[in-house]
């Protein structure tokens, strides 16, 4: 009871702060649209001449990747609020409250995930514009996987933010982590046909399986499925679940050690 | 019954010892003052008692709970106002109170009533829905005190609650503090740099280099300095000096245009002194030793300079923030 109240409180504060900041809302809406329009369209044009197999549509390929990318960036950087709170003192108020630290970390992770999920939901609404039809059940499945991804990535952010004293430090470390995670995830280019060393790296990136899970669900009945997907859905889900477990544990543990 | 018991508390940061040896007891409903120069270890002691920092050695009980083994129970029974503000400035005053109440498991049904009560106590009722970033420094301080009280703590820790505030606001905050003791049956443990404020405390501990160097009531502490100081102006100083020596057996010290003498209790001595010297002196003044004198005697430093330093630090801190 007490713990759920704490989780709810921390979550609510992050959400309230988010909707009070108009630029952040604009950014949340604008950023994915920008990715989709510029990156999606631009890349799909330039890739057209490549020897793509029959039936391979780059925009279709990119769409789940862009959703994954938005969720990655929003989730991971939402944890900067911890560094911010440390700087402005509010963190102390939370740290001396009679609630377990892990419940605070979970509340934070849920707050960041909520915002990332909002963004993902907006992008999913655009599916018809890209020419992809999604049934309500598919959308629900996608949201469920996206939530797991968002929750684990926010936890990754919390793991780093708990150790960082400054915003600059946090941003530096995050860029080091996030950019490789993103570029190796297969969001922008398929794993098939990559040089072996690159393929190995891509197989090591947990996000690869997250993006692949999205494609698996999104194109479950599409004739192009074989071209778009790398692994069976069960493998994807197993890796995503394992990633969540690891990152959430790391995040709550790191936050519990904060002084 | 003592509500705070501290025994041989010590805190080391690598090679630096922030708290060397703090032993003290605070009784229920006491207003306990913690005085000391910058870096003496006041804030560190408060943070240890508030379970935010673990002591290197020593023990402490707050509200009957041990600070290392029962941190959650300690936390539930204390309210805290840190030296630096810990409000969320992007939330409203009401939201800050609400979130605090939630974290301290206040009954939802009691929340609204209690929020109104503490806001009224610090006279911020009409600012409930304003964002905290629009508040002045004094208003923020008052809101923090209100927030620290919302969960009915038994002990309220105040680390420099009045630093950087104007005299009127400081007086108001002291009114709340006195009021609190009557209404909320609360014990107050506070640090301050203002000696005139320290007079409001029931007892004072003076800490220097992490150790307590004196602990007593303000009146007793001042007795450590010696007696009251009486200054006389007289045209014929040597004559007066001789009479004082003969009549009272006291050696007056001649300095510049005046005569000074130290006596146990100035008020009761002045009538007989004036009666005996009638017509020979032009003025008599009496000065009581102040806590400043105590502080200088014990720490070798003048706390008024410290207060000024803190002001400067505080302003620099604020400037740093505003730039962001
Ligand atoms: N986290 C920390 N790491 C290392 N040293 C610290 C830390 N916190 C405090 N100190 C050191 O411990 C000593 C005591 O600091 P503390 O903040 O308790 O002093 P204070 O009595 O509150 O001083 P002030 O009047 O300036 O607020 C100082 O020398 C300070 O530099
Ligand atoms: Mg201090």
């Amino acid at each position: 009871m007490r713990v759920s109240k704490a989780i709810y409180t921390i979550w609510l504060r992050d959400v309230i702060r988010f909707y009070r900041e108009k630029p952040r809302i604009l950014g949340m809406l604008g950023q994915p649209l920008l990715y989709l329009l510029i990156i999606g369209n631009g890349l799909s044009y330039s890739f057209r001449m490549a020897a793509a197999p029959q039936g391979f549509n780059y925009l279709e390929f990119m769409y789940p990747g862009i959703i994954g990318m938005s969720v990655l960036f929003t989730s991971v950087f939402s944890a900067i609020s911890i560094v911010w709170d440390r700087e402005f003192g509010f963190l102390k108020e939370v740290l001396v409250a009679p609630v377990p630290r892990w419940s605070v970390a979970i509340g934070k992770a849920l707050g960041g995930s909520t915002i990332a999920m909002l963004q993902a939901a907006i992008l999913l609404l655009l599916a018809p514009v890209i020419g992809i039809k999604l049934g309500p059940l598919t959308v629900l499945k996608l949201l469920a996987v996206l939530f797991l991804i968002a929750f684990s990535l926010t936890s990754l952010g919390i793991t780093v933010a708990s150790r960082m004293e400054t915003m600059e430090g946090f941003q530096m470390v995050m860029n080091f982590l996030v950019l490789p995670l993103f570029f190796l995830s297969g969001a922008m280019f398929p794993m098939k046909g990559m040089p072996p060393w690159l393929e190995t790296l891509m197989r090591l990136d947990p996000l690869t399986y997250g993006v692949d899970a999205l494609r698996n669900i999104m194109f479950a009945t599409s004739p192009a499925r074989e071209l778009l997907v790398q692994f069976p859905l069960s493998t994807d889900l197993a890796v995503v679940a394992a990633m969540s477990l690891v990152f959430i544990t790391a995040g709550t543990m790191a936050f519990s050690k904060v002084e | 019954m003592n509500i705070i018991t501290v025994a041989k508390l010590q805190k080391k940061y690598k090679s630096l010892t922030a708290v060397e040896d703090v032993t003290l007891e605070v009784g229920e409903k006491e207003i306990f003052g913690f005085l000391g120069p910058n870096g003496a270890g006041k804030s560190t002691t408060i943070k240890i008692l508030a379970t935010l920092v673990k002591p290197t050695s020593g023990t402490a009980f707050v509200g009957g709970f041990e600070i290392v083994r029962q941190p959650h129970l300690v936390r539930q029974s204390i309210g805290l106002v840190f030296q630096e503000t810990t409000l969320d400035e992007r939330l409203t005053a009401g939201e800050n109170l609400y979130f605090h109440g939630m974290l301290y498991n206040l009954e939802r049904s009691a929340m609204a009533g209690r929020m109104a009560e503490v806001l009224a106590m610090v006279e911020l009722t009409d600012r409930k829905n304003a964002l905290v970033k629009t508040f002045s420094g004094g208003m923020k301080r008052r809101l923090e005190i209100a927030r620290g009280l919302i969960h009915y703590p038994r002990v309220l820790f105040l680390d420099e609650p009045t630093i950087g505030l104007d005299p009127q606001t400081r007086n108001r905050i002291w009114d709340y503090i006195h009021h609190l003791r009557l209404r909320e049956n609360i014990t107050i443990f506070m640090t301050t740099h203002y000696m005139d404020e320290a007079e409001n405390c029931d007892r004072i501990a003076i800490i220097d280099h992490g150790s307590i160097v004196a602990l007593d009531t303000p009146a007793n502490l001042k007795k450590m300095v010696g007696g009251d100081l009486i200054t006389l102006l007289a045209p014929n100083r040597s004559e007066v000096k001789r009479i004082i020596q003969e009549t009272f057996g006291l050696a007056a010290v001649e300095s510049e245009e005046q005569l000074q003498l130290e006596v146990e209790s100035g008020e009761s001595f002045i009538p007989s002194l004036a009666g005996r010297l009638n017509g020979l002196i032009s003025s008599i003044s009496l000065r009581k030793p102040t806590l400043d004198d105590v502080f200088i005697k014990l720490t070798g430093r003048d706390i008024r300079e410290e207060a000024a330093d803190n002001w400067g630090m505080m302003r620099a801190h604020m400037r740093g923030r505003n730039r962001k």
Side-chain angles (χ1 to χ4, degrees):
Chain A
M1 179 55 210
R2 176 165 211 148
V3 163
S4 54
K5 215 163 157 180
I7 294 175
Y8 166 73
T9 307
I10 301 291
W11 169 83
L12 184 63
R13 167 176 176 257
D14 272 14
V15 172
I16 289 183
R17 282 190 54 146
F18 175 73
Y19 84 63
R20 267 219 191 117
E21 272 171 76
K22 303 295 176 263
R24 264 180 88 191
I25 299 183
L26 274 179
M28 183 197 74
L29 295 172
Q31 193 188 33
L33 290 182
L34 216 64
Y35 292 160
L36 202 57
L37 285 176
I38 298 177
I39 309 181
N41 273 310
L43 286 180
S44 61
Y45 273 106
S46 54
F47 271 72
R48 194 181 284 164
M49 52 233 175
Q54 199 63 35
F56 182 93
N57 173 334
Y58 192 73
L59 198 55
E60 259 186 15
F61 175 81
M62 275 295 287
Y63 178 60
I66 286 174
I67 299 181
M69 173 183 174
S70 309
V71 167
L72 167 68
F73 282 96
T74 304
S75 308
V76 138
F77 284 105
S78 72
I80 201 167
S81 67
I82 292 179
V83 188
W84 189 268
D85 284 347
R86 187 199 297 281
E87 180 120 351
F88 285 87
F90 185 77
L91 189 66
K92 254 192 243 159
E93 153 80 357
V94 174
L95 293 181
V96 294
V99 296
R101 290 279 172 86
W102 61 261
S103 66
V104 177
I106 300 272
K108 279 264 168 213
L110 286 175
S113 311
T114 303
I115 292 150
M117 293 301 288
L118 268 174
Q119 205 171 23
I122 291 166
L123 276 168
L124 284 176
L125 283 177
L126 292 173
V129 181
I130 316 281
I132 298 172
K133 283 202 191 68
L134 298 173
L137 193 63
T138 311
V139 171
L140 277 184
K141 283 184 195 162
L142 287 172
L143 285 177
V145 172
L146 282 167
F147 177 75
L148 268 187
I149 299 176
F151 196 60
S152 37
L153 291 174
T154 329
S155 305
L156 173 66
I158 291 173
T159 313
V160 175
S162 301
R163 298 184 176 145
M164 291 292 144
E165 303 273 329
T166 65
M167 316 261 187
E168 292 82 0
F170 176 78
Q171 245 139 3
M172 270 300 279
V173 174
M174 278 342 268
N175 283 335
F176 257 107
L177 273 175
V178 166
L179 293 180
L181 270 181
F182 169 63
F183 283 116
L184 293 172
S185 69
M188 308 282 282
F189 47 83
M191 199 162 102
K192 283 181 192 126
M194 286 296 137
W197 65 270
L198 192 57
E199 194 185 315
T200 311
L201 285 181
M202 288 175 80
R203 277 176 189 276
L204 288 175
D205 179 356
L207 210 59
T208 301
Y209 303 85
V211 173
D212 201 53
L214 296 179
R215 290 196 181 116
N216 253 316
I217 296 167
M218 209 177 270
F219 305 118
T221 56
S222 156
R225 180 173 176 275
E226 284 309 307
L227 296 170
L228 296 166
V229 162
Q230 320 274 346
F231 306 102
L233 182 59
S234 54
T235 311
D236 290 338
L237 291 182
V239 175
V240 170
M243 164 176 82
S244 311
L245 216 63
V246 169
F247 285 164
I248 291 159
T249 312
T252 47
M253 273 171 48
F255 191 75
S256 301
K257 293 212 189 81
V258 170
E259 285 222 341
Chain B
M1 225 271 313
N2 288 323
I3 194 148
I4 302 177
T5 314
V6 182
K8 292 196 175 309
L9 208 60
Q10 191 181 59
K11 175 68 191 178
K12 287 188 174 160
Y13 289 109
K14 295 191 184 123
S15 62
L16 187 140
T17 306
V19 176
E20 173 79 51
D21 177 16
V22 170
T23 298
L24 55 87
E25 286 169 351
V26 180
E28 222 155 339
K29 292 217 251 169
E30 201 171 358
I31 298 182
F32 190 87
F34 216 38
L35 243 59
N38 289 136
K42 304 180 294 293
S43 297
T44 306
T45 305
I46 287 194
K47 282 179 193 158
I48 295 173
L49 296 182
T51 76
L52 195 60
V53 167
K54 284 210 171 62
T56 309
S57 65
T59 55
F61 290 83
V62 177
F65 306 111
E66 210 276 335
I67 53 159
V68 179
R69 280 181 282 117
Q70 302 166 295
H72 282 330
L73 293 169
V74 170
R75 289 169 184 196
Q76 185 69 44
S77 39
I78 62 173
L80 274 164
V81 176
F82 288 104
Q83 192 164 358
E84 316 81 26
T85 173
T86 62
L87 293 165
D88 187 339
E89 306 211 340
R90 301 194 189 197
L91 296 179
T92 65
E95 284 162 351
N96 268 288
L97 296 180
Y98 175 76
F99 287 144
H100 185 92
M102 290 286 283
L103 287 176
Y104 284 76
N105 205 17
L106 202 68
E107 287 297 323
R108 256 171 237 244
S109 54
M111 184 82 81
R114 182 61 174 165
M115 273 169 63
E117 200 175 14
V118 291
L119 274 176
M121 193 186 298
V122 297
E123 298 167 84
L124 284 175
T125 306
D126 53 331
R127 299 302 296 257
K128 184 178 167 205
N129 296 317
L131 289 179
V132 174
K133 67 177 169 199
T134 65
F135 280 23
S136 72
M139 288 161 73
K140 284 181 193 164
R141 223 55 183 142
R142 275 145 58 196
L143 180 62
E144 282 195 292
I145 293 175
R147 185 182 64 177
L149 289 171
I150 206 164
H151 57 284
Y152 302 95
R154 296 183 62 201
V155 184
L156 183 63
F157 288 97
L158 302 169
D159 199 355
E160 313 265 1
T162 55
I163 190 99
L165 304 179
D166 65 40
Q168 286 97 314
T169 314
R170 282 167 52 192
N171 285 338
R172 288 261 286 291
I173 287 184
W174 272 103
D175 286 344
Y176 306 138
I177 292 173
H178 285 301
H179 189 64
L180 267 177
R181 171 153 63 171
L182 296 176
R183 257 192 50 187
E184 308 253 336
N185 281 328
I186 204 169
T187 305
I188 288 161
F189 187 105
M190 64 177 310
T191 70
T192 180
H193 264 98
Y194 298 110
M195 286 296 158
D196 50 331
E197 290 189 351
E199 301 272 357
N200 283 296
C201 298
D202 299 319
R203 283 191 310 146
I204 293 172
I206 295 183
I207 179 171
D208 194 21
H209 299 299
S211 299
I212 292 193
V213 291
L215 196 168
D216 215 325
T217 60
N220 282 343
L221 282 176
K222 283 183 281 193
K223 284 192 192 137
M224 293 172 59
V225 177
D228 298 347
L229 232 49
I230 293 178
T231 309
L232 303 172
L233 285 183
N236 188 347
R237 284 188 294 281
S238 49
E239 167 75 358
V240 170
K241 197 173 164 180
R242 191 183 53 78
I243 296 173
I244 290 174
Q245 181 69 51
E246 275 171 9
T247 323
F248 305 102
L250 287 170
V253 182
E254 204 176 331
S255 67
E256 289 162 42
E257 305 287 286
Q258 58 196 21
L259 281 173
Q260 272 199 345
L261 60 158
E262 231 182 83
V263 297
E264 187 97 333
S265 159
E267 286 94 341
S268 51
F269 181 69
I270 283 181
S272 43
L273 180 70
R276 181 65 187 81
L277 295 176
N278 200 6
L280 291 171
I281 47 175
S282 55
S283 102
I284 300 185
S285 66
L286 168 69
R287 189 169 83 83
K288 293 269 166 190
T290 63
L291 282 172
D292 283 302
D293 300 318
V294 181
F295 194 83
I296 294 168
K297 178 169 174 161
L298 289 170
T299 69
R301 270 163 286 188
D302 188 343
I303 202 161
R304 279 166 299 193
E305 289 159 22
E306 299 271 344
D309 273 3
N310 255 21
W311 240 119
M313 270 157 48
M314 178 109 171
R315 276 201 303 256
H317 188 58
M318 292 300 205
R319 272 201 303 275
R321 272 186 184 186
N322 290 341
R323 242 186 282 123
K324 295 229 166 64

